[in-house]
């Protein structure tokens, strides 16, 4: 399957059409951005790591009954996936308080939440991705009904119920993550985008070390080594999950 026309260039990926109108190709870039694009860098090999990590996690989720846009990994930096209309809601799942939750609500960093929190952010860089409640989502026509929001929440919890124990077994604490969903040609809601250390927080269970994009956000260095370690933990000893 070949790339044809560049449809869209985002901060971490480029999206191309293919000869099949129902399929697109994502190219995972080495670029890193934070604070709504204010901090920028590039890390050679980061795109390939995120492509591989996302591939393994989409396969794991599909095996466990979560519908995703994933079709197959094409090569180091390219993934073939179904074409969906992206729902402009970032679905944030949190098991442990940190980041903007700690900052905005004063919950001490590292507090284990009494239950998994699911939040919605508006996927809108110009507005700085503000928080949404259900009524905002309907008023902005981001979804068609309150039921669709319940579907997003249920699917996000299902993803967490699969990934959290999976990573725990690998010695990683899945602290929080961001998901994006889309609608396929039939209007079904399916998981889209990517699942990688660019949009998840992983803390090593033993040492508490951050193994994700916070290393870049906080200027800690060692980002590629951390992403490689996440991939190696996912793959386990024999190179497959
Ligand atoms: P926070 O709201 O604390 O900044 O982020 C919560 C979680 O969602 C983190 O795992 C973070 O990586 C992810 N996240 C939230 N918004 C974005 C975003 O706009 N882009 C990316 N890549 N991840 C996000």
């Amino acid at each position: 399957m070949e790339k044809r026309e560049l449809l869209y260039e985002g901060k971490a990926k480029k999206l191309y059409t293919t000869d099949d109108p129902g399929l697109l190709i994502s190219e995972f870039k080495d670029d890193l951005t934070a604070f709504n694009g204010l901090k920028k860098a590039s890390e050679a090999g980061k795109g390939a790591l995120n492509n591989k990590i996302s591939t393994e996690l989409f396969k794991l989720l599909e095996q466990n009954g979560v519908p995703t846009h994933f079709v197959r990994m094409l090569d180091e930096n390219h993934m073939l996936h179904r074409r969906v209309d992206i729902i402009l809601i970032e679905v944030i799942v949190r098991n442990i308080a940190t980041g903007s939750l700690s900052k905005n609500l004063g919950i001490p960093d590292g507090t284990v939440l009494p239950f998994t929190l699911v939040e919605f952010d508006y996927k809108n860089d110009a507005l700085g991705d503000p928080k949404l409640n259900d009524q905002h989502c309907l008023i902005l026509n981001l979804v068609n009904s309150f039921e669709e929001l319940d579907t997003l929440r249920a699917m996000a919890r299902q993803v967490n119920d699969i990934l959290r124990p999976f990573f725990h077994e690998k010695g990683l604490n899945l602290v929080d993550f961001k998901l994006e969903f889309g609608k396929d040609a039939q209007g079904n809601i399916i998981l889209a985008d990517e699942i990688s250390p660019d949009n998840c927080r992983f803390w090593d269970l033993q040492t508490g070390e951050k193994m994700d994009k916070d290393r870049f956000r906080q200027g800690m260095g060692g980002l590629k080594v951390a992403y490689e370690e996440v991939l190696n933990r996912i793959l386990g000893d024999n190179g497959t999950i």
Side-chain angles (χ1 to χ4, degrees):
M1 190 67 71
E2 299 286 319
K3 292 192 281 195
R4 295 297 176 209
E5 189 194 332
L6 177 66
L7 259 188
Y8 172 78
E9 177 159 7
K11 285 177 277 193
K13 291 191 291 299
K14 288 183 189 172
L15 196 58
Y16 293 90
T17 59
T18 68
D19 290 334
D20 183 333
L23 295 175
L24 299 177
I25 291 174
S26 276
E27 178 182 334
F28 286 70
K29 304 197 295 183
D30 288 337
D31 296 350
L32 281 156
T33 63
F35 312 118
N36 203 13
L38 286 178
K39 183 171 179 176
K40 289 186 188 150
S42 185
E43 177 91 36
K46 193 264 310 185
L49 283 163
N50 280 353
N51 188 23
K52 183 79 181 131
I53 290 169
S54 290
T55 291
E56 296 298 337
L57 296 179
F58 278 135
K59 282 196 215 165
L60 176 74
L61 292 171
E62 285 276 355
Q63 283 162 15
N64 285 278
V66 179
T68 79
H69 74 161
F70 177 76
V71 176
R72 65 177 183 274
M73 192 174 126
L74 294 175
D75 60 34
E76 270 214 324
N77 285 80
H78 295 96
M79 179 188 286
L80 182 68
H81 55 82
R82 279 182 277 282
R83 185 179 197 137
V84 294
D85 286 329
I86 288 287
I87 297 170
L88 295 178
I89 298 174
E90 297 184 345
V91 181
I92 313 286
V93 181
R94 299 178 188 272
N95 297 306
I96 295 174
T98 190
S100 70
L101 180 68
S102 291
K103 188 165 167 264
N104 294 336
L105 299 185
I107 303 174
D109 195 278
T111 305
V112 178
L113 297 172
F115 52 85
T116 299
L117 173 64
V118 181
E119 302 175 300
F120 296 144
D121 288 0
Y122 191 9
K123 185 175 159 61
N124 185 321
D125 285 342
L127 296 176
D129 295 352
K131 287 269 164 253
L132 296 167
N133 69 22
D134 286 24
Q135 297 162 81
H136 295 139
C137 294
L138 269 278
I139 286 168
L140 289 168
N141 284 318
L142 303 180
V143 287
N144 294 325
S145 65
F146 289 117
E147 286 72 29
E148 287 188 344
L149 296 175
D150 288 338
T151 301
L152 293 180
R153 272 189 283 263
M155 289 179 76
R157 286 184 192 284
Q158 189 187 3
V159 169
N160 189 53
D161 288 346
I162 297 162
L163 294 187
R164 196 181 183 191
F166 172 80
F167 279 109
H168 195 270
E169 189 121 311
K170 311 282 183 182
L172 289 174
N173 205 341
L174 179 59
V175 172
D176 59 24
F177 53 96
K178 183 257 300 180
L179 299 175
E180 292 184 25
F181 294 86
K183 287 186 185 170
D184 67 13
Q186 288 73 42
N188 300 310
I189 294 178
I190 65 175
L191 184 62
D193 193 43
E194 66 178 277
I195 310 176
S196 75
D198 268 10
N199 50 30
C200 301
R201 287 192 173 102
F202 300 110
W203 293 351
D204 185 278
L205 273 173
Q206 299 296 324
T207 64
E209 200 184 345
K210 295 179 197 294
M211 313 284 284
D212 54 63
K213 197 168 130 183
D214 272 354
R215 299 196 75 87
F216 169 67
R217 294 186 186 103
Q218 299 174 11
M220 299 165 75
L223 179 122
K224 196 176 161 195
V225 172
Y227 282 34
E228 280 166 348
E229 178 62 20
V230 170
L231 176 60
N232 288 338
R233 301 260 188 117
I234 290 170
L235 294 176
D237 291 333
N238 61 1
T240 56
I241 54 172

